[in-house]
C-alpha cells in the first residue's frame, strides 16, 4: 500500500496475471475494498494460439478474474504486450465481464464526488500487430509474427511504439487524469507531462532484486529504472502477479498494489 495524497480515490493496481490462479488476488481485493480497480494489461499469457481459438476464451482464469474484479468495484483494463493478438471479438469478450476496456481511449467517471478521467494506452505490440494483420493476406485468425513474443519480443521491444497522439486530448479533459500504461518505459519520453497519475506493470519487479533495485526488465534492459514502487509521485509500477519465465523471482514477491489518498 502506498499513500499518494494527490490521488482522490483508493484504488487497486493489478498487472501481469498471465492466466495464473486469481484466487489470492480476489481475496485481497475483498479484504481491502478499493473504490477503483485498474488492470494494466497482460491478463493473457503466451504466443499465437495453436488452432486460432480465442486465447481470451481458452485461457481458463482470465474471464473469471475479470468478472470477479468487476463485481467488487468499477474495473478498467488496458492492453499489454501479451494481448498483442486480440481482435474485436476478443475485445467484446473481455468487455462482457463488466470490465471497461480502454483501448487508446478514455472515459470519465465520478467517484466520491470527484471527477476522474481514466485512459488506457495500448501496448505498441498490439498496435504493430494490428497493422501487420491488416496487411496480411493470411486466412487464419491470428497470423504468425515472430518478433512479437518470446525472445524476439524481448529483444526488439524498442521497435514497437504505441499510438500517443491522442494523449494531449485526454490530458485536456477536466478532472483528475489516470493513465493505464502497461509499459513503464513509455514514461516520461512518450507520455504527456500533464497527466496526474500513470499506472504500469510489465517489468515484473526486475525479476531479481538487490538493494531494492531490479536486475532486468523487457523494454528497459539491465538494471532498469522503473520496476516497482512510486516514481516522482506520478508513476506507480506494479511488480506483477505472476512469474512467466524459467528464471525464478528472487527477493521479489508478487504483489497487489493499493493506492490510498
Amino acid at each position: 500500500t502506498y499513500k499518494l495524497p494527490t490521488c482522490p480515490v483508493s484504488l487497486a493496481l493489478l498487472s501481469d496475471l498471465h492466466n495464473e490462479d486469481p484466487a489470492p488476488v480476489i481475496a485481497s481485493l475483498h479484504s481491502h475494498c478499493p473504490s477503483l480497480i485498474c488492470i494494466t494489461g497482460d491478463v493473457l499469457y503466451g504466443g499465437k494460439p495453436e488452432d486460432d481459438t480465442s486465447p481470451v476464451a481458452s485461457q481458463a482464469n482470465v474471464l473469471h478474474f475479470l468478472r470477479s474484479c468487476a463485481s467488487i468495484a468499477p474495473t478498467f483494463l488496458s492492453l499489454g504486450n501479451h494481448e498483442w493478438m486480440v481482435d474485436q471479438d476478443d475485445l467484446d469478450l473481455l468487455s462482457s465481464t463488466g470490465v471497461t476496456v480502454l483501448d487508446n481511449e478514455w472515459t470519465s467517471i465520478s467517484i466520491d464526488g470527484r471527477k476522474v478521467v481514466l485512459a488506457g494506452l495500448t501496448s505498441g505490440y498490439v498496435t504493430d500487430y494490428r497493422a501487420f494483420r491488416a496487411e496480411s493476406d493470411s486466412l487464419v485468425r491470428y497470423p504468425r509474427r515472430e518478433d512479437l513474443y518470446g525472445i524476439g519480443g524481448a529483444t526488439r521491444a524498442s521497435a514497437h511504439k504505441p499510438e500517443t497522439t491522442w494523449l494531449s486530448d485526454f490530458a485536456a479533459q477536466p478532472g483528475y487524469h489516470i493513465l493505464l500504461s502497461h509499459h513503464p518505459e513509455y514514461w516520461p519520453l512518450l507520455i504527456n507531462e500533464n497527466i496526474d497519475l500513470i499506472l504500469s506493470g510489465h517489468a515484473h519487479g526486475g525479476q531479481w532484486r538487490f538493494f531494492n533495485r531490479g536486475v532486468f526488465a523487457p523494454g528497459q534492459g539491465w538494471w532498469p529504472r522503473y520496476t516497482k514502487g512510486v516514481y516522482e509521485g506520478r508513476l506507480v509500477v506494479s511488480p506483477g502477479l505472476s512469474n512467466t519465465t524459467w528464471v525464478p523471482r528472487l527477493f521479489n514477491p508478487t504483489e497487489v498494489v493499493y493506492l490510498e489518498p
Side-chain angles (χ1 to χ4, degrees):
T1 299
Y2 299 108
K3 291 290 185 180
L4 201 65
T6 58
C7 184
V9 61
S10 65
L11 67 84
L13 165 58
L14 311 177
S15 194
D16 302 277
L17 180 76
H18 290 301
N19 193 40
E20 291 295 314
D21 179 11
V25 180
I26 300 306
S28 176
L29 293 171
H30 277 295
S31 176
H32 284 77
C33 297
S35 298
L36 182 66
I37 299 173
C38 297
I39 306 173
T40 56
D42 278 13
V43 292
L44 298 174
Y45 178 65
K48 180 183 181 297
E50 290 297 325
D51 57 0
D52 273 354
T53 299
S54 166
V56 177
S58 60
Q59 295 191 22
N61 294 311
V62 172
L63 295 178
H64 168 63
F65 166 64
L66 296 178
R67 289 191 192 100
S68 298
C69 289
S71 72
I72 295 169
T75 302
F76 297 83
L77 168 69
S78 65
L79 302 177
N81 56 294
H82 275 259
E83 280 79 54
W84 61 267
M85 81 297 288
V86 294
D87 60 14
Q88 188 57 53
D89 287 342
D90 292 321
L91 293 174
D92 292 343
L93 192 52
L94 291 170
S95 298
S96 72
T97 63
V99 168
T100 299
V101 180
L102 296 171
D103 181 8
N104 283 337
E105 57 192 332
W106 69 83
T107 188
S108 298
I109 62 172
S110 180
I111 299 179
D112 300 329
R114 182 76 182 269
K115 185 175 181 180
V116 178
V117 192
L118 294 116
L121 178 59
T122 296
S123 169
Y125 287 73
V126 180
T127 302
D128 279 0
Y129 186 73
R130 285 173 176 168
F132 168 77
R133 175 188 270 146
E135 296 173 358
S136 174
D137 57 3
S138 174
L139 298 179
V140 301
R141 183 175 180 182
Y142 305 105
R144 187 174 183 85
R145 182 174 173 181
E146 295 288 351
D147 64 340
L148 290 177
Y149 53 89
I151 190 64
T155 58
R156 301 184 184 94
S158 62
H160 306 295
K161 302 296 186 184
E163 293 285 347
T164 58
T165 54
W166 59 276
L167 288 176
S168 57
D169 289 338
F170 159 61
Q173 302 303 306
Y176 184 86
H177 303 87
I178 301 177
L179 178 67
L180 283 61
S181 170
H182 180 69
H183 299 263
E185 67 270 23
Y186 290 168
W187 183 84
L189 295 178
L190 298 176
I191 294 177
N192 190 298
E193 286 294 319
N194 294 325
I195 296 171
D196 300 296
L197 179 63
I198 302 110
L199 305 178
S200 295
H202 188 56
H204 288 232
Q207 202 62 29
W208 294 355
R209 295 189 68 82
F210 298 102
F211 306 105
N212 201 34
R213 187 174 180 186
V215 172
F216 179 84
Q220 298 184 70
W222 296 102
W223 304 111
R225 182 176 181 183
Y226 307 117
T227 57
K228 173 183 175 179
V230 181
Y231 300 87
E232 299 185 27
R234 293 201 306 129
L235 172 68
V236 183
V237 182
S238 162
L241 300 170
S242 65
N243 187 42
T244 59
T245 176
W246 59 270
V247 179
R249 295 174 68 121
L250 187 63
F251 308 120
N252 179 29
T254 56
E255 287 183 358
V256 176
V257 176
Y258 294 100
L259 298 183
E260 296 290 345

